[in-house]
Amino acid sequence: MKKIIITVDGYSSCGKSTLAKALAKKLNYVFIDSGAMYRAITFYFLRNNIDWNNTGEVIEALKNIHLSFTYNEKYGSSDILLNGENVETHIREMAISDKVSDVAAVKEVREFTVAQQQTNTASKGIVMDGRDIGTVVFPEAELKIFLTADPAVRVERRYAQIVLKDPTITREEIKKNLEMRDYLDSTREISPLRKAEDAIVLDNSHLTQQEQVDLVLQWANEKINS
Ligand code: CDP
């Protein structure tokens, strides 16, 4: 059967990874969370006191970073490994969310991650989510989704995820972080977040996870069978 590339881009906390993961599972495709890569690099920079405004330091640091994914049996998803260390829990913390959009705006960081996203996936049968997947990483993808949701819904979804691990978190903190990242991601010079011309906009504010997966699967099957 024909295999395709599906890209899921959109604003912070719209449920891109949830959708991409479910699609990959249904289609038996590889799922790649490109945001996890930017988050893992941010974690490395913070841990090693790398100044990401210093190009020389960034270039040297990137030479020491190896990113890979491993399957997590317990959660049925993939965890990111930074130089072999599972950093999945660390990269979801607010300290990383606060800085990741600054790091993701650095040219050398983007070149490093995009090259890896493209080589890891020379074959098709991929669902990748992020900000620039349909525009820069896979402009030739057969199916591109641009996901949106009401800001209040997005805050509530992310709050529900984080409060389980950090009971001190407030909705206000999350709202500020999402707004800041959306602003930085949309206005940066290199590969800003924008809808690819041929992407389908999907507002999932009032859809259940099952409804959104069924809808996108229908579009995917149309592409696969065309
Ligand atoms: O899950 P959430 O939507 O909150 O974010 P994420 O997908 O984990 O991405 C974290 C950050 O990485 C984003 O806010 C962007 O700054 C950056 N990113 C990017 O620049 N390009 C991508 N393809 C994916 C993420």
Side-chain angles (χ1 to χ4, degrees), residues 7-9 34 117 128-139:
T7 64
V8 183
D9 288 304
S34 70
Q117 288 153 11
M128 195 179 292
D129 82 297
R131 303 291 186 288
D132 60 341
I133 312 304
T135 51
V136 174
V137 180
F138 293 127

Side-chain angles (χ1 to χ4, degrees), residues 42-95:
T42 305
F43 177 68
Y44 180 94
F45 283 5
L46 287 174
R47 185 194 247 180
N48 295 286
N49 289 316
I50 307 296
D51 173 6
W52 50 83
N53 296 309
N54 180 327
T55 307
E57 258 187 62
V58 168
I59 291 172
E60 278 311 303
L62 289 172
K63 286 182 192 161
N64 297 319
I65 294 181
H66 178 76
L67 301 177
S68 55
F69 289 91
T70 184
Y71 187 70
N72 182 325
E73 296 263 346
K74 190 169 163 201
Y75 297 108
S77 58
S78 55
D79 287 355
I80 193 156
L81 302 182
L82 168 65
N83 297 330
E85 176 188 354
N86 191 326
V87 292
E88 190 60 37
T89 314
H90 299 303
I91 65 164
R92 307 289 162 193
E93 287 170 4
M94 278 307 272

Side-chain angles (χ1 to χ4, degrees), residues 5 118 124 133-144 198:
I5 296 180
Q118 290 170 334
K124 294 208 176 183
I133 312 304
T135 51
V136 174
V137 180
F138 293 127
E140 75 289 4
E142 288 86 349
L143 179 60
K144 300 181 185 177
D198 51 350

Side-chain angles (χ1 to χ4, degrees), residues 97-103 105 177-193:
S97 299
D98 276 344
K99 298 292 176 209
V100 63
S101 291
D102 292 326
V103 172
N177 178 261
L178 298 187
E179 284 171 355
M180 175 194 71
R181 283 198 287 133
D182 285 346
Y183 174 75
L184 293 174
D185 293 344
S186 315
T187 55
R188 70 179 171 225
E189 215 170 296
I190 312 157
S191 315
L193 165 65

Side-chain angles (χ1 to χ4, degrees), residues 10-23:
Y11 294 101
S12 301
S13 195
C14 280
K16 299 179 297 295
S17 297
T18 307
L19 171 63
K21 217 180 283 176
L23 285 173

